[in-house]
Amino acid sequence: MQRGCHASSGQTVLITGARAPVALHHARLFHAAGWRVVLADMPARPVSRASRACALYQRLPSPRFHPEDFTDALEALIEREKPSLIVPSCEEIFYLAAIRERRGLGAELFAPGLDLLQTSHNKHDFIKLCEGFGIAVPETRLLTSREDVSNLGKQADSLVFKPVWSRFAGQVLVSPASRKLKQVVPSAAMPWVAQERLEGDEISAYVLARDGKVLAVSIYRSLYRAGAGAGICFEPVKDPATRALIGTFVGNTGWTGQVSFDLMRLEDGSVRPLECNPRATSGLHFFKDAARFVRTLLQGGDEVLPDVAGNQAVRLAMWVYGLPSALRSRDFARFREVLGAAEEILGTSDDPSPGRAQIPALLEIATIAMRNRISLQSATTRDIEWNGPDQSSM
């Protein structure tokens, strides 16, 4: 299904993962910089589809469940719309990179190679990669059997457990009791990690890079989250140690594309990488200078600094997730203060329609969740998840 919106002149960019707020933000940046924006994804009603920045929205089959149909539909879209650049937003990036390796895409994919994407997405291999670059890391052990878990003994009290292939902290267990630890059933095909539990200030970073050069960095803290995972309200922070770590990682990998990190800032001011998301995350929302951001993404140049100083939030998600959290912690006053001061990410004054589009988008996700008996959070990524290299044979 396609939908015509307000088209802009200039080159065409294809932005995939239109369900994500970061895809909407990319669309607005490219549109303001004079580009024609085509958006693509699986849902019928993603919020980005309603944006004035959207020239066309194209529904695609699920790359996870219908990989050949996805490939054919994507190739037809690229042939018809002739984008000069493809900017992925979510885990569809892995499928796009696999197609690029297998048969080409006909346009530049703003992403590194599939091997590097997978290594960075893998919660064990990422830590080993950082360690090889001389970055201080938390001790992280690979678990491939129940025996591996049993061998940890009482050490489990000081560890964090999570699947190697996972997102949004949906299955993370922190210092689990023995009853909870029974939920950890790793295998060679679906391994877990046991990571040293660190105390400190958890922060995140969004990075834009090309050929191993950092082009933009946004460091931020999630003030409220959807459950234990994805942030829904963000506060910008400055941290030189994080910036140095990013430079080391990007330079050593020769990264081209977007990459994001979750890190722990320790009491002494040092930082440790926890995991990597080799895609866009919410730090993108702290960039509003469209012309400079897009020009730097394409051509390089001096590093772009965030030009938004205030907190950013998805207000509907704050009411759905943030309010219950505030009530549980008996801190409604803080919730009200944070919500009142934060800038809305989706429905802006010059582009309000995505804000109104949240309800039908949420209902579509809720239908998927009920149909498959999974959580709302799991339903948001069910059709695009990448859970290991065996999927690269698509």
Side-chain angles (χ1 to χ4, degrees), residues 329-356:
S329 63
R330 299 181 181 181
D331 199 1
F332 179 73
R334 175 179 178 268
F335 170 81
R336 185 173 57 186
E337 180 183 355
V338 169
L339 184 63
E343 182 180 352
E344 166 63 32
I345 288 171
L346 298 182
T348 60
S349 59
D350 60 345
D351 190 24
S353 294
R356 296 190 291 269

Side-chain angles (χ1 to χ4, degrees), residues 19 40-44 57-74 91-96 99 102 368 371-372 378-387 391 394:
R19 71 192 71 185
D41 207 340
M42 286 90 254
Y57 175 64
Q58 176 70 58
R59 288 192 76 184
L60 298 172
S62 163
R64 182 183 178 193
F65 300 117
H66 306 287
E68 291 302 329
D69 291 340
F70 171 80
T71 301
D72 291 344
L74 178 70
E91 286 187 28
E92 81 282 351
I93 189 173
F94 298 98
Y95 299 93
L96 295 173
I99 295 168
R102 185 161 59 105
I368 294 169
R371 184 186 303 134
N372 294 280
S378 296
T380 64
T381 60
R382 177 178 178 271
D383 51 358
I384 55 172
E385 289 179 3
W386 182 273
N387 294 312
Q391 297 176 92
M394 56 172 284

Side-chain angles (χ1 to χ4, degrees), residues 297-333:
L297 184 155
L298 295 169
Q299 302 171 6
D302 294 338
E303 183 176 327
V304 177
L305 301 177
D307 51 328
V308 175
N311 295 354
Q312 304 289 295
V314 179
R315 286 182 175 273
L316 178 60
M318 282 288 284
W319 288 110
V320 172
Y321 294 102
L323 177 58
S325 173
L327 293 176
R328 284 193 300 271
S329 63
R330 299 181 181 181
D331 199 1
F332 179 73

